[in-house]
Amino acid sequence: MWRIFGIFILLNILIFGLLSAGVIGYIPNLDDLENPIDKYASQVISSDDKLLFTYSQSDDNRIFTDYSQLSPYLIQALVATEDVRFYQHSGIDIIGLGRAVVKTLLLQHESSGGGSTITQQLAKQLYSPRAKNKIQRLFQKPVEWVIAVKLERYYTKDEIINLYLNKYDFNYNAIGIELASHTYFNKKPIDLTIEEAATLVGMLKNSALYNPVRRPDLTQQRRNVVLTQMVKAGYLSEEEKNELISKPIKLDFNRANHTDIPAPYYRQHLAMVLMADKPDRRDYPASWQKQQFIEDSIAWVENPLYGWCKKNKKADGSNYNLYTDGLKIYSTIDSRMQKYAEEAVREQMAYLQPIFDKEKAGKPYAPFSSSVANEVDRLLANAMRQTDRYRGMKKAGFSEDEILKEFKNHKTEMKVFSWKGGEIDTVMTPWDSIRYHKSFLRAGFMAMDPFTGHVKAYVGGPDFKFFKYDMVSTGKRQIGSTIKPFLYTLAMEEGMTPCDQMLHVPQTLITETGQEWSPKNAGAGNVGEMVTIKWGLQNSSNWVTAYLMKQFSPYAFARLLKSFGLKSPIDPVVSLALGICDASVSEMVSGYSAFANRGIRVDPLMVTRIEDSYGNVVGTFIPSMHEIFSESTSYKMLDMLRAVIDGGTGSRLRRIYNLKGQMGGKTGTTQNNSDGWFMSFTPGIVAGSWVGGEDRSIHFDRMAYGQGASMALPIHGLFYQKIYADPSLHISDDGIFEIPEQFRNPCFEPDKYSPEYYQNNQPVEGQGIDDIFD
C-alpha cells in the first residue's frame, strides 16, 4: 500500500512537473503570465464625460477598470460567493477541493459545492483551451491548477480579483465589469449598490441562465443566494439581508453593440480616420479615385488625427492599435446634443417617408423617377453587385445569369428596415429587398462649434444597421443654392454691399465655348423691379445670383470655394453659381462656420486628446483655422443670411418652430428635387443637413416636399427646439451676434433704427413711421 501510495505521489510530482514545464498540456509562457490581459477595448468619452462607445476585437469587448474603481460590495459579494477562503490559499483551496471530491466521488452528490477558486476560474478564462477529447479533459483541471499557482506567484490578491472581473462575459457584448455595470445599471462599477453588485456576482455562475433581462425572477433568487453568502462571510447582517432580498431587480438596461449605440456613424468615421494607412497611389487604381487619393494625401499631411495610430508608436516601438490598446479617446461629441440630433433626424424622416411612399405608390418604376423608368433593372443590378451575397456567389463560381436568377426568384427569410418597428421579419427575394431599401430617403446632419471646430453632433443616416453609408463625411452630393452665400461673399469682398440694386429680370451669361446660359427662376417675384442684392439672397433668386456671376470670373469663384473647404473637383463654369459641384455635409458646415466666425473658417475637430491605458496623454489636437474673407465682409454676409431666416426661404424656423433667437441660414435644392439642403448658424452653433434618395433618380416629383425648406430644414428646427429645452446644456435662444459699432450698418447707410436718425428725419404729414422704417 505504501509502495502504491509512493508511486502515486511520485507520479503526481512528475505530471505536475511536466505540466509546469509545458511538456504536456498547455501552459502559457512567462511573458503571457506577466500580462494576461493586455488587449482592452478603447473607450470614446463624450465632451460631457459620458462613455459613448468602445472599439474592440469582435470577441474581446472589454474596458479595463482599476481595482480602486470597484465597489467594495462587488469584492465582498465575489469572495463570499465564489471563494470564501480566497485570502488564505495560494491558488488551490485544499479544503474546498477535498469537499468536492468527497461529495462527488464518495457521496455521489450532484452539487459538490464547487472546488474552483477565483484564481482557477481566472486561469480557465485566460488560458485553458476547450477540451476536445478525453485526454485533454483528463489534464484540463491539473493545467488550471498549475496556472492558478503561477498566477498567485505573479499577482496580488487584489490584482487577481481585478483581472477576473475585467475578463468575465456578462452577455450582451458586455465583457468585463465596466461594461456590465453600464449595460445593466447605467453606472460605474464603483457606484453599484449592494443588491446591484450581488446581481452581477450572481451572474458569474451562469450569465446565460441568470439573465436579469430575460429571467428576472430566477436572477433575483440567485442574487438573494449571494446576499445570504455575504451574511455567512460576515459582510452583511441578517437584518440588512432581509431588507435587501425583498427589493426587486431594477435595471437601467443599455445594450452595447455597434449598431444600437450613440453616434454609430461617428464611430465608424473616427475608426476609419484613426486607423488610416498612409495613402499609396497603387491603392487607388481607378481614374475617378485620383481625387480621393489627393484628398487622403493632403489629410495625411495636414490632419494630425488622420492615420494617428499608424503615425505614432508605443514604448515598445509598435504602432497603436485602436482595438487592443485600451486607449481613452476624448471626443468633442456632446452626448445630449447627439441624442437630440438623432431624434430630430428620426422624427423628420419618419414624417417624410410616408409622404414619399404615397407619391410613388402604384408606379411601376418606384421608387425611381419616371425619367429612368426604362433603367430600373440596370440600377437595381448595379446595387446587387455591391452586396455581400453577390460577392459570395461570384467567389463560389456562379455566373452573372445564375446570380441574377437567384436574386430575383429565391425568397428567403430576412430582416428589413421599417420606420414603424425599427426592423421587421419577412420573406422576400434579395432583389425585392434591394428595391425596398432603396425606397427609403437618406439624411445627414452635423452640428459644430463655429469657433473651436468641436463637432457636437454627427448623424450620418437614418439607421446605421441598414444604411451604413455615411452621408456626413463620405457621401457627397450637389449643393444647390447653399453655394450662393459663397458667391455673395466674393461680391462683398470686391466692394459690393447688400443694398446694391439690380433690375430683377432674366440674366444671360456666355460660357467659355460661346454658348448662352440663362438660368430659370421658379416662382420669381418682383419681376421687372429694382431689387437689392440682400433681397436676392433672402429669396434665393437665381437671376440675382446670375447677375453676380456676370461680374466675376468663374475661376476666381472656384478658387474661393476651395478656400471654403470644398474638396471635390470644381469646374470653373458659369453654372457653378447654382451649386452644380458636390460637397459633403461636413465640408459645408466647415464652410459656413466662417459666416459665424468673422470670416475665419474652422475645420471640424472630432477629438481633443488621447490617453494610453496608463492614463498618459499621447495625443492632443487643436482646431485648424483659415482666414477666408475680411471682417467687414463677414458682417455684410451676416446681415443677409439673417434675413433668409427672418423673412426669406428659411423663415419656417420662425413660423413653425417658433425659434426667436438670432440666426442665419440658407436653403438649397438641386435639379429635379434630388437633394434638399439646409445650413444654419447661431452665435454658438453651425449646422448642416442633407436629405435625398440613395440615387439622384430617387426624389420627390413635387417641389412642395422636394425642396430643402421642406426636407432638410425641419431637422434643424427640431434640433434647436430640443437643445434649447435642455437646461443642462446652458444654450439659450436669446444669444446675439456681437457686431462692432463700425460694422453695424452693412450697407454703409444711415442706421434707420438709431435714435439720431429718427430725430433728424421726422415724418412729414401723411407719412407714417412704418414707411420710414421700411
Side-chain angles (χ1 to χ4, degrees), residues 61 172-174 179 182-183 253-258 260-261:
N61 188 36
Y172 301 111
N173 208 30
L179 280 177
H182 175 75
T183 298
F253 187 63
N254 300 272
R255 184 169 184 169
N257 60 61
H258 295 164
D260 186 20
I261 58 172

Side-chain angles (χ1 to χ4, degrees), residues 237-280:
S237 67
E238 191 71 31
E239 293 75 17
E240 289 174 319
K241 183 202 78 170
N242 292 335
E243 180 182 350
L244 292 171
I245 61 175
S246 62
K247 293 183 178 181
I249 294 177
K250 293 183 179 180
L251 299 178
D252 186 354
F253 187 63
N254 300 272
R255 184 169 184 169
N257 60 61
H258 295 164
T259 58
D260 186 20
I261 58 172
Y265 292 94
Y266 170 81
R267 181 186 190 277
Q268 174 182 259
H269 178 68
L270 183 60
M272 181 186 71
V273 170
L274 288 168
M275 294 291 287
D277 291 309
K278 185 177 182 179
D280 187 328

Side-chain angles (χ1 to χ4, degrees), residues 352-361 367 439 441 698-700:
L352 204 59
Q353 189 64 45
I355 300 172
F356 181 74
D357 293 341
K358 184 177 180 180
E359 182 182 276
K360 299 296 181 183
S439 69
L441 296 172
I698 300 173
H699 55 72
F700 277 102

Side-chain angles (χ1 to χ4, degrees), residues 648-708:
T649 56
S651 60
R652 294 187 188 198
L653 289 180
R654 303 290 193 210
R655 292 186 287 106
I656 298 177
Y657 298 97
N658 199 34
L659 300 178
K660 304 295 186 182
Q662 293 185 3
M663 62 192 315
K666 185 68 186 77
T667 55
T669 310
T670 63
Q671 191 172 13
N672 299 322
N673 309 320
S674 293
D675 307 279
W677 287 84
F678 188 69
M679 307 298 301
S680 70
F681 59 90
T682 70
I685 296 173
V686 57
S689 64
W690 166 90
V691 175
E694 181 181 356
D695 303 325
R696 288 188 54 80
S697 54
I698 300 173
H699 55 72
F700 277 102
D701 296 329
R702 295 178 296 157
M703 177 66 87
Y705 290 104
Q707 60 181 308

Side-chain angles (χ1 to χ4, degrees), residues 98-140:
R99 183 187 66 245
V101 170
V102 170
K103 286 187 175 181
T104 302
L105 298 181
L106 301 181
L107 302 180
Q108 299 294 307
H109 287 183
E110 290 186 7
S111 175
S112 62
S116 291
T117 64
I118 292 174
T119 317
Q120 286 176 244
Q121 294 178 47
L122 174 62
K124 183 176 182 179
Q125 288 180 3
L126 290 175
Y127 301 117
S128 184
R130 193 172 194 73
K132 297 179 181 179
N133 52 55
K134 291 183 178 179
I135 300 297
Q136 288 184 358
R137 282 196 293 272
L138 179 65
F139 286 107
Q140 189 162 9

